[in-house]
C-alpha cells in the first residue's frame, strides 16, 4: 500500500445490488479517504430498487450510480478487490488483496429481504475500513 489513498473495487455479477450497497457504505463511512469503485461481470440495466430503498432508509443515496462493466484496467489499478458471487467471471491479479463476501443476492427481492443483506454489508465494510485505515 502506497502513501496514496487505497482503492477498493466491489464486484458482483449485475453491479445492481450488493456491490452498489457496499460502495455506498464505504463512501459514506470513509469519506474521501478511500477511492471506491464498483463493477459487474454482466452489469444490469439499473440499480435494484429494493437496494436503493434499503440504503435510503439508512440515509445513503445510491440513486446516482449506474451498473458498470468490469474493466480489466479498473481491477488492475485497484488495491483491494471484493467479490460477491461472481465466481470465475471475476479476474484475478497477482499481488492484489482479495476477499470474497458470501452474501445473498438481493435481485428480485423486496426491501424486507434486502435489509439484512444491507446490514451484513455494513459490518463487513466497517471491518475492511478499520483494516485499511487503522486509527
Amino acid at each position: 500500500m502506497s502513501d496514496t489513498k487505497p482503492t477498493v473495487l466491489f464486484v458482483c455479477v449485475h453491479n445492481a445490488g450488493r456491490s452498489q450497497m457496499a460502495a455506498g457504505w464505504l463512501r459514506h463511512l470513509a469519506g474521501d479517504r478511500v477511492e471506491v469503485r464498483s463493477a459487474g461481470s454482466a452489469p444490469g440495466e439499473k440499480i435494484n430498487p429494493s437496494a436503493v430503498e434499503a440504503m435510503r432508509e439508512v440515509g445513503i443515496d445510491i440513486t446516482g450510480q449506474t451498473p458498470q462493466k468490469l474493466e480489466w484496467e479498473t481491477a488492475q489499478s485497484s488495491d483491494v478487490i471484493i467479490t460477491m458471487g461472481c465466481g470465475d467471471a471475476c479476474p484475478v491479479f497477482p499481488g492484489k488483496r482479495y476477499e470474497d463476501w458470501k452474501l445473498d443476492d438481493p435481485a428480485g427481492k423486496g426491501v424486507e429481504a434486502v435489509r439484512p443483506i444491507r446490514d451484513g454489508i455494513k459490518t463487513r465494510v466497517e471491518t475492511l475500513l478499520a483494516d485499511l485505515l487503522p486509527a
Side-chain angles (χ1 to χ4, degrees), residues 7 10 12-14 52 57-59 76 79 94 102-103 110 125:
T7 303
F10 295 104
C12 65
V13 177
H14 300 302
V52 170
E57 291 176 352
V58 293
Q76 176 69 25
D79 297 310
K102 304 281 184 225
L103 296 160
V125 166

mmCIF file of all heavy atoms in Angstrom, residues 7 10 12-14 52 57-59 76 79 94 102-103 110 125:
data_model
loop_
_atom_site.group_PDB
_atom_site.id
_atom_site.type_symbol
_atom_site.label_atom_id
_atom_site.label_comp_id
_atom_site.label_asym_id
_atom_site.label_seq_id
_atom_site.Cartn_x
_atom_site.Cartn_y
_atom_site.Cartn_z
ATOM 1 N N THR A 7 -7.523 2.012 -2.929
ATOM 2 C CA THR A 7 -8.614 1.873 -3.888
ATOM 3 C C THR A 7 -9.279 0.527 -3.674
ATOM 4 O O THR A 7 -8.601 -0.505 -3.661
ATOM 5 C CB THR A 7 -8.064 1.940 -5.326
ATOM 6 O OG1 THR A 7 -7.363 3.166 -5.481
ATOM 7 C CG2 THR A 7 -9.185 1.880 -6.338
ATOM 8 N N PHE A 10 -15.528 -3.178 -5.635
ATOM 9 C CA PHE A 10 -16.549 -4.171 -5.300
ATOM 10 C C PHE A 10 -17.097 -4.744 -6.597
ATOM 11 O O PHE A 10 -17.500 -3.985 -7.478
ATOM 12 C CB PHE A 10 -17.698 -3.528 -4.515
ATOM 13 C CG PHE A 10 -17.290 -3.016 -3.160
ATOM 14 C CD1 PHE A 10 -17.110 -1.663 -2.941
ATOM 15 C CD2 PHE A 10 -17.091 -3.885 -2.097
ATOM 16 C CE1 PHE A 10 -16.742 -1.172 -1.699
ATOM 17 C CE2 PHE A 10 -16.711 -3.406 -0.843
ATOM 18 C CZ PHE A 10 -16.556 -2.054 -0.642
ATOM 19 N N CYS A 12 -19.790 -7.628 -8.330
ATOM 20 C CA CYS A 12 -20.765 -8.706 -8.334
ATOM 21 C C CYS A 12 -21.204 -8.896 -9.785
ATOM 22 O O CYS A 12 -20.647 -8.283 -10.686
ATOM 23 C CB CYS A 12 -21.925 -8.463 -7.371
ATOM 24 S SG CYS A 12 -23.002 -7.075 -7.742
ATOM 25 N N VAL A 13 -22.158 -9.748 -10.012
ATOM 26 C CA VAL A 13 -22.497 -10.065 -11.401
ATOM 27 C C VAL A 13 -23.152 -8.871 -12.089
ATOM 28 O O VAL A 13 -22.684 -8.402 -13.121
ATOM 29 C CB VAL A 13 -23.412 -11.311 -11.472
ATOM 30 C CG1 VAL A 13 -23.805 -11.589 -12.922
ATOM 31 C CG2 VAL A 13 -22.699 -12.518 -10.886
ATOM 32 N N HIS A 14 -24.221 -8.348 -11.496
ATOM 33 C CA HIS A 14 -25.000 -7.315 -12.182
ATOM 34 C C HIS A 14 -24.632 -5.888 -11.784
ATOM 35 O O HIS A 14 -25.078 -4.945 -12.419
ATOM 36 C CB HIS A 14 -26.498 -7.536 -11.945
ATOM 37 C CG HIS A 14 -26.969 -8.862 -12.442
ATOM 38 N ND1 HIS A 14 -26.831 -9.264 -13.746
ATOM 39 C CD2 HIS A 14 -27.550 -9.901 -11.796
ATOM 40 C CE1 HIS A 14 -27.324 -10.484 -13.883
ATOM 41 N NE2 HIS A 14 -27.752 -10.903 -12.711
ATOM 42 N N VAL A 52 -31.801 0.359 -3.448
ATOM 43 C CA VAL A 52 -31.895 1.821 -3.323
ATOM 44 C C VAL A 52 -32.719 2.191 -2.097
ATOM 45 O O VAL A 52 -32.320 3.022 -1.280
ATOM 46 C CB VAL A 52 -32.510 2.450 -4.603
ATOM 47 C CG1 VAL A 52 -32.842 3.922 -4.383
ATOM 48 C CG2 VAL A 52 -31.561 2.283 -5.784
ATOM 49 N N GLU A 57 -33.140 4.154 3.594
ATOM 50 C CA GLU A 57 -33.590 4.037 4.994
ATOM 51 C C GLU A 57 -32.485 4.366 5.988
ATOM 52 O O GLU A 57 -32.773 4.764 7.109
ATOM 53 C CB GLU A 57 -34.104 2.619 5.279
ATOM 54 C CG GLU A 57 -35.402 2.294 4.577
ATOM 55 C CD GLU A 57 -35.834 0.845 4.794
ATOM 56 O OE1 GLU A 57 -35.064 0.051 5.365
ATOM 57 O OE2 GLU A 57 -36.953 0.528 4.388
ATOM 58 N N VAL A 58 -31.226 4.177 5.596
ATOM 59 C CA VAL A 58 -30.113 4.500 6.490
ATOM 60 C C VAL A 58 -29.430 5.801 6.071
ATOM 61 O O VAL A 58 -28.312 6.094 6.489
ATOM 62 C CB VAL A 58 -29.096 3.338 6.588
ATOM 63 C CG1 VAL A 58 -29.735 2.144 7.286
ATOM 64 C CG2 VAL A 58 -28.550 2.951 5.227
ATOM 65 N N GLY A 59 -30.094 6.566 5.222
ATOM 66 C CA GLY A 59 -29.606 7.898 4.871
ATOM 67 C C GLY A 59 -28.523 7.928 3.807
ATOM 68 O O GLY A 59 -27.788 8.903 3.709
ATOM 69 N N GLN A 76 -7.068 -3.959 -12.354
ATOM 70 C CA GLN A 76 -5.606 -3.915 -12.300
ATOM 71 C C GLN A 76 -5.121 -2.781 -11.401
ATOM 72 O O GLN A 76 -4.134 -2.911 -10.696
ATOM 73 C CB GLN A 76 -5.062 -3.743 -13.722
ATOM 74 C CG GLN A 76 -3.556 -3.581 -13.826
ATOM 75 C CD GLN A 76 -2.784 -4.853 -13.480
ATOM 76 O OE1 GLN A 76 -3.303 -5.949 -13.609
ATOM 77 N NE2 GLN A 76 -1.560 -4.691 -13.043
ATOM 78 N N ASP A 79 -6.419 -1.634 -5.268
ATOM 79 C CA ASP A 79 -5.618 -2.275 -4.217
ATOM 80 C C ASP A 79 -6.326 -3.486 -3.623
ATOM 81 O O ASP A 79 -5.711 -4.495 -3.307
ATOM 82 C CB ASP A 79 -5.333 -1.284 -3.091
ATOM 83 C CG ASP A 79 -4.508 -0.106 -3.570
ATOM 84 O OD1 ASP A 79 -3.476 -0.336 -4.214
ATOM 85 O OD2 ASP A 79 -4.918 1.038 -3.313
ATOM 86 N N PRO A 94 -2.243 -11.006 -9.636
ATOM 87 C CA PRO A 94 -1.270 -11.268 -8.581
ATOM 88 C C PRO A 94 -0.988 -10.009 -7.770
ATOM 89 O O PRO A 94 -1.005 -8.905 -8.318
ATOM 90 C CB PRO A 94 -0.013 -11.708 -9.333
ATOM 91 C CG PRO A 94 -0.403 -11.875 -10.763
ATOM 92 C CD PRO A 94 -1.722 -11.223 -10.964
ATOM 93 N N LYS A 102 -19.608 -13.753 0.964
ATOM 94 C CA LYS A 102 -20.761 -14.593 0.670
ATOM 95 C C LYS A 102 -22.008 -13.861 1.160
ATOM 96 O O LYS A 102 -22.229 -13.727 2.360
ATOM 97 C CB LYS A 102 -20.642 -15.936 1.393
ATOM 98 C CG LYS A 102 -19.367 -16.691 1.073
ATOM 99 C CD LYS A 102 -19.477 -17.391 -0.269
ATOM 100 C CE LYS A 102 -18.235 -18.221 -0.541
ATOM 101 N NZ LYS A 102 -17.725 -18.051 -1.897
ATOM 102 N N LEU A 103 -22.781 -13.365 0.211
ATOM 103 C CA LEU A 103 -23.982 -12.600 0.545
ATOM 104 C C LEU A 103 -25.125 -13.068 -0.342
ATOM 105 O O LEU A 103 -24.908 -13.377 -1.511
ATOM 106 C CB LEU A 103 -23.747 -11.108 0.271
ATOM 107 C CG LEU A 103 -22.675 -10.415 1.108
ATOM 108 C CD1 LEU A 103 -22.218 -9.135 0.424
ATOM 109 C CD2 LEU A 103 -23.227 -10.096 2.490
ATOM 110 N N GLY A 110 -37.825 -8.124 -2.178
ATOM 111 C CA GLY A 110 -38.375 -6.886 -1.626
ATOM 112 C C GLY A 110 -37.423 -6.290 -0.599
ATOM 113 O O GLY A 110 -36.461 -6.930 -0.173
ATOM 114 N N VAL A 125 -17.951 -3.862 5.660
ATOM 115 C CA VAL A 125 -17.281 -2.628 5.221
ATOM 116 C C VAL A 125 -16.578 -1.956 6.403
ATOM 117 O O VAL A 125 -15.452 -1.474 6.269
ATOM 118 C CB VAL A 125 -18.286 -1.672 4.530
ATOM 119 C CG1 VAL A 125 -17.704 -0.270 4.369
ATOM 120 C CG2 VAL A 125 -18.689 -2.225 3.160
#
